[in-house]
Amino acid sequence: MAVRIVATAFGGPEVLSVVDAEVAPPGPGRVLVEARAIGVNPIDHKLYSGAFGSDPARLPLPVGNELAGVVTAVGEGATGKAGPISVGDEVVVHPAPGASASEVDVPASSVVPKPAGLSWEVASGLLLAGGTAVHQLSLLGDVAGLTVLVHGASGAVGVLAAQLAVAAGARVVGTAGESRHERLRGLGVVPVSYGDGLLERVRAAAPDGVTGVIDTVGTDEAIDVSLALVAPERITSAAAFHRASDGIRLVGGGPDADPGTEVRAAAWERLLPAAAAGRLELPIARTFPLAEAAAAHRLLSEGHPGGKLVLLP
């Protein structure tokens, strides 16, 4: 018997419920994974909010899409991205529909090995945000010696994108609240506060100009400032879908967006070893018991938590 988080209606975190569910043996090409930690992401709420459709036939709707855990059963022919999977393997899983559960049946194709030196919490929250960061950075090409502006540089996607850009040889300017500035400096990022006067602050921080933008927040302020600095095709955004007509490069699952399927699917090979070796940090803002998933989703929906939120079964 597994514990699962499901949405019993479409709406806000109040529609989330904790239920018990039978766990059947995995079918061909699938595995069972006992969760040790589960990543919480904005897309989780978008799916049960009704933003992508509210067909009642989809209810109750399982919630979540990434986790880290231990393999408990293996179906026939179950082979992951790194090879055969065995019971007892420590793994990271993404995509993992319905990941907010104590045990999950997932396709073997979504399973990769968890490095021994990586915490469960970081492993569970790295691939979705990290895949987006890798994708966005890839669209800017070779950034060595260039200046990149990252909007939302202290959020889960932004902080990873900023670090990856620094590692690639870029000078990175990142927008964030004042309380996050010291941490960003420690990661090699030049922080600037968002709000009135942002364009002037960015220009002062990047006197030689900006050559590319990674936007993770999607605000009009972020896009307007970016368009004042670079051509639209030098702006990548994972959030500003309402600004598609400006010609910026949208990524993800939204309308007119580049899904980056191949880049994201391969991102684990870059992200997991770097995180395990301490070359890439994913701040964990807070952990919640699995049964308190609604509280985690509420915190995420209320604003910037300052890092990743993780559920612990």
Side-chain angles (χ1 to χ4, degrees):
M1 188 72 71
V3 174
R4 291 180 181 168
I5 304 300
V6 301
T8 56
F10 292 100
E14 71 280 355
V15 306
L16 299 181
S17 293
V18 183
V19 299
D20 293 326
E22 294 287 347
V23 179
R30 301 186 68 86
V31 301
L32 287 183
V33 178
E34 185 178 85
R36 293 290 189 269
I38 301 150
V40 179
N41 296 284
I43 187 63
D44 299 340
H45 173 251
K46 288 181 181 178
L47 288 170
Y48 69 77
S49 72
F52 299 134
S54 54
D55 182 357
R58 296 167 58 208
L59 301 173
L61 181 67
V63 175
N65 206 25
E66 64 176 342
L67 74 144
V70 178
V71 176
T72 56
V74 178
E76 181 181 356
T79 301
K81 293 177 181 177
I85 303 169
S86 301
V87 171
D89 285 352
E90 296 186 351
V91 298
V92 185
V93 192
H94 173 70
S100 296
S102 58
E103 192 168 30
V104 186
D105 182 324
V106 296
S109 59
S110 295
V111 176
V112 298
K114 184 186 81 69
L118 193 60
S119 74
W120 291 114
E121 291 84 355
V122 171
S124 75
L126 187 61
L127 295 191
L128 197 157
T132 301
V134 168
H135 183 194
Q136 289 190 261
L137 184 60
S138 74
L139 293 179
L140 297 181
D142 184 2
V143 296
L146 305 179
T147 298
V148 174
L149 171 63
V150 178
H151 289 292
S154 63
V157 176
V159 74
L160 295 173
Q163 291 175 83
L164 292 169
V166 168
R171 183 173 187 272
V172 178
V173 176
T175 69
E178 186 75 32
S179 64
R180 318 291 183 196
H181 285 196
E182 194 59 38
R183 182 178 187 87
L184 289 176
R185 290 189 189 96
L187 297 175
V189 178
V190 179
V192 295
S193 298
Y194 47 77
D196 290 346
L198 175 59
L199 178 59
E200 289 71 25
R201 288 192 294 277
V202 172
R203 283 177 168 156
D208 295 327
V210 170
T211 52
V213 177
I214 294 174
D215 168 54
T216 71
V217 296
T219 62
D220 286 329
E221 174 190 65
I223 301 305
D224 290 343
V225 166
S226 300
L227 289 168
L229 295 166
V230 298
E233 61 270 19
R234 295 298 295 169
I235 302 169
T236 74
S237 179
F241 296 106
H242 66 295
R243 298 295 296 266
S245 62
D246 288 298
I248 64 177
R249 305 179 74 177
L250 297 168
V251 303
D256 303 312
D258 172 9
T261 305
E262 292 185 6
V263 172
R264 291 175 184 241
W268 68 275
E269 296 177 278
R270 180 178 182 180
L271 296 166
L272 292 174
R279 300 191 305 271
L280 186 65
E281 294 183 22
L282 177 65
I284 303 299
R286 189 172 168 186
T287 63
F288 290 80
L290 177 60
E292 296 177 15
H297 282 253
R298 191 170 296 109
L299 176 59
L300 189 61
S301 68
E302 288 173 352
H304 182 12
K308 196 75 178 185
L309 301 180
V310 174
L311 303 177
L312 301 177

